[in-house]
């Protein structure tokens, strides 16, 4: 349920050779009136965004990339700059 103060994760989902690649695009926060503030760190290439409740971050080795651990996903290699 979306309640005021709730933190959400924003993703861009790209289809790759090995399946879907989830790229963290930013965060969103629920306002008192139920509206959302969306803060993007990147812009999606296809103009589509996926918003879901943010999971607790897991710490330690073997998490699988910077944001993959939030969804329990393994990190997928993404082309481009590192």
């Amino acid at each position: 349920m979306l309640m005021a103060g709730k933190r959400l994760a924003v993703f861009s989902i790209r289809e790759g050779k090995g399946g879907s690649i989830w790229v963290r695009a930013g965060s969103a926060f629920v306002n008192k009136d139920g509206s959302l503030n969306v803060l993007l760190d990147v812009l999606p290439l296809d103009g589509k965004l996926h918003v879901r409740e943010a999971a607790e971050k897991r710490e330690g080795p073997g998490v699988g990339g910077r944001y993959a651990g939030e969804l329990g996903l393994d990190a997928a290699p993404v082309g481009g700059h590192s």
Side-chain angles (χ1 to χ4, degrees):
M1 173 165 270
L2 296 180
M3 299 180 337
K6 186 102 168 149
R7 185 180 64 119
L8 305 168
V10 180
F11 294 90
S12 173
I13 305 171
R14 303 288 304 186
E15 294 301 322
K17 293 179 183 176
S20 298
I21 300 169
W22 290 57
V23 178
R24 180 78 183 251
S27 299
F29 301 91
V30 181
N31 296 313
K32 290 179 183 177
D33 65 358
S35 63
L36 297 174
N37 285 345
V38 180
L39 308 171
L40 297 178
D41 298 320
V42 299
L43 296 175
L45 296 174
D46 60 3
K48 297 178 186 176
L49 294 171
H50 177 83
V51 180
R52 63 171 48 217
E53 289 186 21
E56 295 297 320
K57 289 187 180 181
R58 297 187 300 181
E59 300 293 331
V63 172
R66 184 171 177 194
Y67 297 107
E70 288 191 25
L71 295 174
L73 302 174
D74 292 328
V78 178
H81 301 286
S82 48

